[in-house]
Amino acid sequence: RTDGVTALLQIGMNIVFFVPLGFILGRFLRAGLARTALMGFALSLLIETAQLTGIFHLYPCSYRLFDVDDLIWNTLGALLGYAVAALANHALPRRDIDEGIVTEPGFVRRCVAFCIDCVITGIISVPCTAIVYLVGIQFTGFRPLTFAMGVPMFLICLAVTELWIPWVRGGRTLGAGFVRMSVETRPRRGARRAVFYLVRFAVLCLAVCWMTGNGGGVLGVVLLGLGVFWLVEYRMPYDFI
């Protein structure tokens, strides 16, 4: 009986975890049923492959087996989320009016945008780390990378999502585009714009290092100071550049 309850709980969690994906695709990204199913299946396949290969051979052995049932239940969860989105679209139709881009976003909006960017960056950095790891084994004959390599690779990929992408998209990172904001709080050009992005990126790197347990208490004090600065000015220091 205990095994049966555990199995049902596992099935339920596999479904529930993918409901938000289907809801976001159907409600906010206007994806169709087929695309939602494909995205749910593809993401589940990526997760199962990572489990089977020990996160794409970053570890000497996998810690779980590839489970086809998980593919089915995850995809079903995405479709269930799509159904909820369809009901929400019918009951509360979205306005098609362009509300514009917020150039002075609040703290919560900034945090949501950054969290989305971090998720996207993580998805990009995992295969990049795996590729570098495998190339290192192939050409050097030893395993130069450990889990610690994940943080530097994440920061390199973060430079793409937080420097290059907003630079070419008028201040909108992928996460910022989702919450309809711009990281550029005022028009900037040339060197001033470059300094703004570099200082902002440095602050984000400090936040990432602190969240991953690097930097110790000193870094925590610095971030606390930035938080106090926000409470006083309702802006970050780099917004004044």
Side-chain angles (χ1 to χ4, degrees):
R1 179 177 299 178
T2 302
D3 292 340
V5 172
T6 302
L8 289 176
L9 181 62
Q10 182 177 357
I11 291 173
M13 290 298 98
N14 281 329
I15 294 175
V16 169
F17 285 157
F18 272 67
V19 168
L21 173 65
F23 183 82
I24 291 173
L25 289 172
R27 175 68 173 175
F28 299 105
L29 301 183
R30 303 296 181 89
L33 179 64
R35 182 176 296 181
T36 300
L38 180 61
M39 289 293 294
F41 179 82
L43 181 58
S44 180
L45 181 62
L46 177 64
I47 294 173
E48 293 300 318
T49 303
Q51 292 177 167
L52 178 64
T53 59
I55 310 185
F56 304 101
H57 302 290
L58 285 178
Y59 296 94
C61 62
S62 60
Y63 54 90
R64 285 187 58 187
L65 297 177
F66 189 103
D67 194 338
V68 177
D69 290 343
D70 287 353
L71 291 175
I72 298 173
W73 298 123
N74 291 155
T75 305
L76 180 61
L79 292 175
L80 181 60
Y82 177 84
V84 175
L87 293 175
N89 290 336
H90 179 74
L92 300 170
R94 291 189 59 194
R95 292 179 297 175
D96 293 328
I97 300 176
D98 186 2
E99 298 178 351
I101 301 299
V102 177
T103 56
E104 295 185 1
F107 186 75
V108 174
R109 190 187 293 257
R110 293 184 187 223
C111 288
V112 171
F114 182 58
C115 287
I116 295 174
D117 288 333
C118 283
V119 171
I120 295 173
T121 302
I123 294 174
I124 297 173
S125 66
V126 169
C128 289
T129 304
I131 291 172
V132 174
Y133 180 77
L134 294 176
V135 170
I137 295 176
Q138 181 69 27
F139 290 98
T140 64
F142 70 98
R143 301 176 182 271
L145 304 180
T146 62
F147 176 76
M149 180 60 191
V151 175
M153 182 60 70
F154 183 90
L155 294 178
I156 292 173
C157 294
L158 189 68
V160 176
T161 57
E162 297 295 339
L163 286 176
W164 180 70
I165 290 179
W167 181 276
V168 300
R169 297 183 74 234
R172 286 175 294 134
T173 66
L174 298 178
F178 186 82
V179 297
R180 305 193 63 78
M181 61 162 274
S182 171
V183 300
E184 296 189 37
T185 53
R186 65 176 68 179
R188 299 177 180 86
R189 294 182 179 179
R192 184 179 181 183
R193 189 173 185 230
V195 171
F196 164 79
Y197 273 108
L198 290 175
V199 174
R200 176 180 176 273
F201 180 69
V203 172
L204 296 180
C205 287
L206 292 178
V208 170
C209 290
W210 181 76
M211 288 187 295
T212 54
N214 298 285
V218 175
L219 190 53
V221 172
V222 173
L223 293 176
L224 179 61
L226 290 174
V228 173
F229 187 92
W230 170 269
L231 292 176
V232 175
E233 297 290 343
Y234 294 102
R235 291 184 181 183
M236 296 300 288
Y238 50 76
D239 290 327
F240 291 91
I241 297 176

